[in-house]
Amino acid sequence: LITNTKGLFLFLVTADCHPIIFFDPITHSLGLAHGSRQMTTQKLVTLAVEQMKQEFGTNPNDLHIGIGPGIKKESYRLEYLDSMFPILQSMKQFVTKNQDNSFNIDLAGINRGLFVKTGVKSKNIEVSPIDTANSEDYFSHYRDSRENKLERRFATIAMLI
């Protein structure tokens, strides 16, 4: 979701996937993206930056990025890499292969790396330290589905004023 309309709310629901907020203080534009495994594989943040360039004239150097709470590498274990394999070839530092041949994936790190590749300044990217899967204080699809608990979600709301 992207906009440059003041007063328009952008709304996103997540549990372990990272909500990602883009803000361009020069063009007064805003974006909100879903940092899931599938959207990371499809390089959604790269596509969103490109769309902001086309629609609003955004220069990636001007963007400020917030990557919100979500599942962290220490908690996010996959038995196989499926569709993530191509993107991980160029971002191996965000994957750990375990002795049992499973993998731990750093979704926030991958998205951060994608932003840097588009020209966003590293110093303009803030990543939340909160691991939703590892804390009972936060909703977690990953944790709750494994424990057969009721699954709940967060809402991220962003607006230009």
Side-chain angles (χ1 to χ4, degrees):
L1 304 169
I2 61 171
T3 189
N4 65 352
T5 303
K6 290 182 180 181
L8 178 67
F9 287 96
L10 302 181
F11 180 89
L12 178 67
V13 178
T14 59
D16 290 304
C17 301
H18 297 272
I20 303 172
I21 300 172
F22 313 60
F23 175 63
D24 182 344
I26 306 303
T27 64
H28 302 283
S29 55
L30 179 70
L32 188 57
H34 190 252
S36 68
R37 178 179 63 196
Q38 294 81 4
M39 293 297 100
T40 299
T41 300
Q42 295 176 28
K43 300 181 182 180
L44 177 63
V45 297
T46 302
L47 297 171
V49 170
E50 286 301 316
Q51 193 65 35
M52 288 181 79
K53 285 167 62 174
Q54 289 177 19
E55 294 285 325
F56 312 126
T58 292
N59 179 338
N61 286 314
D62 298 327
L63 280 172
H64 291 263
I65 309 297
I67 300 177
I71 195 166
K72 298 296 181 189
K73 183 178 182 181
E74 298 76 25
S75 300
Y76 195 30
R77 187 181 197 120
L78 296 174
E79 299 303 317
Y80 54 92
L81 294 179
D82 62 26
S83 62
M84 289 202 79
F85 191 70
I87 195 171
L88 296 177
Q89 287 299 310
S90 63
M91 297 190 158
K92 292 180 182 180
Q93 70 269 32
F94 300 110
V95 179
T96 301
K97 186 173 183 179
N98 302 307
Q99 289 182 349
D100 66 357
N101 289 323
S102 65
F103 301 87
N104 282 73
I105 309 296
D106 181 358
L107 288 177
I110 294 169
N111 282 295
R112 188 178 197 290
L114 289 170
F115 277 120
V116 170
K117 283 184 175 186
T118 67
V120 176
K121 294 176 186 172
S122 186
K123 69 178 185 172
N124 289 352
I125 304 170
E126 187 171 333
V127 179
S128 170
I130 296 169
D131 183 348
T132 54
N134 196 27
S135 174
E136 291 289 331
D137 293 333
Y138 297 90
F139 301 140
S140 171
H141 163 76
Y142 188 87
R143 181 188 63 239
D144 291 346
S145 65
R146 282 155 182 75
E147 297 175 4
N148 291 320
K149 290 184 179 178
L150 175 66
E151 294 182 36
R152 298 163 293 173
R153 302 289 186 264
F154 297 102
T156 300
I157 302 169
M159 180 186 77
L160 292 168
I161 53 172

